[in-house]
Amino acid sequence: MLKVLAIFKAFNSLTFGIAMHDLLPEICDIHADTVRILTPMLQNFGAKDTFYGEIVTLKTFEDNSKIREQVALDGTGKVLVVDGGGSMRHAMLGDLLAKKAADNGWSGIIIHGCIRDVNAIAEIGLGVQALGVHPLKTDKRGLGDVNVPINFGGVSFHPGEYVYADNNGVLVSKEPIDLVQLGWL
């Protein structure tokens, strides 16, 4: 079956100029009953349209101090999911922290809130999804809770579970999804 899928993808790509770049529909075609899908609400801002990894959570409000701490850590194979309370009054992420996250191996950052420096972030090798943009930085009070269950967009995010994101949205799985089976690796 995997051989047939690979041949089909190669045929489509060569014959019709179509490359299969939409991970979430592929996942949903096979795993719809085991994933949780975020309500459509986020925009894709990063250079990586498709990203996925183990969830690291952060709950904070209009303070990105803990984001700075987390992106300074090794994030290989991980996605930082931030519940910023949906604030549209401050940017939780800018280009400097996005660059630091990319340099430390983070696959992506998902923010229930705003970001800034969108043109620079679009050039950084990091997946970034957020509600919107705002030019004002946050206060630095050192507040926030790391690796606690968070909930937004109708989905609960738990540390150690897995998140998958692309231009089609965001979904969560309790277990890692076999991307080889889907022809992605």
Side-chain angles (χ1 to χ4, degrees):
M1 179 64 180
L2 288 177
K3 239 182 205 181
V4 171
L5 184 59
I7 291 168
F8 173 74
K9 286 182 179 182
F11 177 76
N12 271 342
S13 189
L14 293 172
T15 307
F16 301 109
I18 299 169
M20 297 179 100
H21 296 292
D22 295 315
L23 177 59
L24 269 61
E26 296 291 325
I27 290 173
C28 288
D29 286 351
I30 297 173
H31 301 284
D33 57 339
T34 62
V35 297
R36 304 183 307 271
I37 302 170
L38 186 76
T39 299
M41 59 194 289
L42 302 178
Q43 300 175 53
N44 224 340
F45 293 100
K48 288 171 57 176
D49 286 341
T50 301
F51 60 98
Y52 47 86
E54 183 180 350
I55 296 172
V56 174
T57 63
L58 173 58
K59 185 172 183 66
T60 186
F61 186 73
E62 296 182 355
D63 180 350
N64 72 353
S65 304
K66 296 292 182 179
I67 294 174
R68 178 177 306 279
E69 290 175 13
Q70 289 303 300
V71 300
L73 303 174
D74 179 17
T76 304
K78 297 178 182 177
V79 175
L80 182 60
V81 181
V82 180
D83 181 359
S87 174
M88 301 298 280
R89 302 184 311 181
H90 294 274
M92 300 294 290
L93 181 74
D95 60 339
L96 298 178
L97 293 184
K99 176 78 167 90
K100 185 177 288 243
D103 289 347
N104 286 320
W106 289 87
S107 179
I109 301 175
I110 297 170
I111 298 181
H112 184 228
C114 289
I115 68 166
R116 67 184 203 164
D117 304 318
V118 294
N119 294 324
I121 288 174
E123 302 292 320
I124 297 170
L126 181 72
V128 177
Q129 289 202 18
L131 287 175
V133 297
H134 198 289
L136 184 62
K137 66 182 179 179
T138 68
D139 295 326
K140 310 289 188 272
R141 300 180 313 264
L143 301 176
D145 297 313
V146 177
N147 276 335
V148 296
I150 58 176
N151 190 315
F152 59 88
V155 170
S156 295
F157 297 87
H158 298 273
E161 291 187 340
Y162 294 84
V163 65
Y164 299 82
D166 69 10
N167 286 322
N168 294 285
V170 174
L171 63 79
V172 175
S173 174
K174 287 186 179 191
E175 301 295 328
I177 293 171
D178 183 356
L179 298 182
V180 172
Q181 177 190 13
L182 296 175
W184 274 79
L185 296 177

